[in-house]
Amino acid sequence: MTLLKTLAPTALLLAVPSLGLAQDAAEAVPVAGIDASTDSIFILNSLLFLVGGFLVMWMAAGFAMLEAGLVRTKNVAMQCTKNIALFSIAGIMYYLIGYNLMYPLGSWSIGTDETGGYLGAFGVAVLEAVGLARDGADDYGYASTGSDFFFQLMFCATTASIVSGTLAERIKLWPFLIFTVVLTGLIYPIQASWKWGGGFLDTQYGFLDFAGSTVVHSVGGWAALAGALILGPRLGKYGKDGRVHPIMGSNLTLATLGTFILWLGWFGFNGGSQLAMGTVGDVADVSRIFANTNTAAAGGALATLILTQVVYKKVDLTMVLNGALAGLVSITAEPLTPTLGQATLIGAVGGVIVVFAVPLLDKFRIDDVVGAIPVHLCAGIWGTLAVVLTNGDATLGGQLISIVIVGVFVFVTSGILWFILKAVMGIRVSEEEEITGLDMAELGMEAYPEFSRG
């Protein structure tokens, strides 16, 4: 027995090389434009996109849980339906149209040409390997087209998720999904190309938006604002005497879980936007981005925690959750250049904005069910302007005019589309259906049937 124990490891070591003979004999398939010296950079950069992409994809679950927790029980199944549907729509529309519009010099494929090269949706031949440059950097890293497409798709889907929560509890399902088709296929990629696709905001105005405080978050906020204005508030939200009647969510446990999921996903959102992981410097930058992202969220949550205690004499959990998210949105425009202290303060200001923006919307009778407009639009604008505080390459004029251009474009196009949908098919359920709840009225099922039927 002792001899067997001694010889077993030796026999295993001798067997290991033979187990890998089939792989050793296989020839490596070269990738167009990539030589052996850059293979490791190609692999690491592609890995960053893929890991960052599936972290951002997990944010879809965060939005679904946050919204499910902040709407009433009778509308939970509808919010879950909208979230899985909008994510699927984004996946198809960005593949067919959006990616080509956003990156006119490189596109995803829906087939191959006679030489085996990929063809874009408009028949444009593209390479399997795409060169990607960071803003302000002279060095180029490489990543696979598939990983780049996957990563960028997740940002597109995030934009649509923002709209869903604001318009909850009174919008019809199919008009909302039609709006999502246009938002993910046209509106989002067109304006994103102006910055990330090498467009005029980037080249003429020097606009800096590292991971999308404006390009992603404020775009969702502007689209949501246009929809909320045209759709109108929920029944009973605002009294004739001007009083605001709070409508409590069904499950603050779910809302808290959703917030933590979003917080986790944001590390991929911001960290992946470094777009490179092939050097020691890149990895150090990604690490710094992670740390700044986390501390900004903490700053936003704590600022809201303290401020709600001071203003309302009691801590408001929903405000604290949105404060953390506002901190994340605020740091998204520039998560690399701030120090940890600066990132904390930038996030804290985002949290303060939420506390004052929510009652401001109520003053104008704009009903935002989950607080997406204060979090994604208001904090997104703040975060984009805050870039000038830590990044010397940014100018206040360039940041401000870019915010205005994107805002006007998205708000106007979204408003026109909402008006068309309202005129053609109607966008709001009837009063009876709203009182009954969209789960039964639109879907014929309930998220929690045992609570209503006993």
Side-chain angles (χ1 to χ4, degrees), residues 124-213:
V124 181
V126 296
L127 296 175
E128 169 62 11
V130 174
L132 300 167
R134 299 194 310 277
D135 289 338
D138 295 326
D139 59 309
Y140 285 75
Y142 292 90
S144 69
T145 305
S147 67
D148 176 52
F149 167 79
F150 177 73
F151 182 67
Q152 298 300 337
L153 163 61
M154 298 306 131
F155 284 65
C156 179
T158 297
T159 305
S161 297
I162 295 167
V163 184
S164 172
T166 295
L167 308 180
E169 301 201 302
R170 74 270 200 203
I171 192 169
K172 293 180 179 179
L173 175 62
W174 287 105
F176 171 78
L177 296 184
I178 292 172
F179 179 84
T180 301
V181 168
V182 180
L183 177 66
T184 57
L186 295 171
I187 296 174
Y188 169 79
I190 287 174
Q191 62 82 32
S193 73
W194 298 343
K195 165 55 188 172
W196 292 340
F200 71 98
L201 295 183
D202 185 49
T203 59
Q204 296 182 29
Y205 297 106
F207 179 45
L208 298 183
D209 191 0
F210 192 95
S213 287

Side-chain angles (χ1 to χ4, degrees), residues 190-244:
I190 287 174
Q191 62 82 32
S193 73
W194 298 343
K195 165 55 188 172
W196 292 340
F200 71 98
L201 295 183
D202 185 49
T203 59
Q204 296 182 29
Y205 297 106
F207 179 45
L208 298 183
D209 191 0
F210 192 95
S213 287
T214 286
V215 174
V216 177
H217 294 282
S218 78
V219 167
W222 286 117
L225 177 61
L229 289 171
I230 296 169
L231 186 64
R234 289 168 290 175
L235 295 174
K237 174 68 175 179
Y238 304 112
K240 294 181 179 179
D241 57 356
R243 294 184 60 187
V244 178

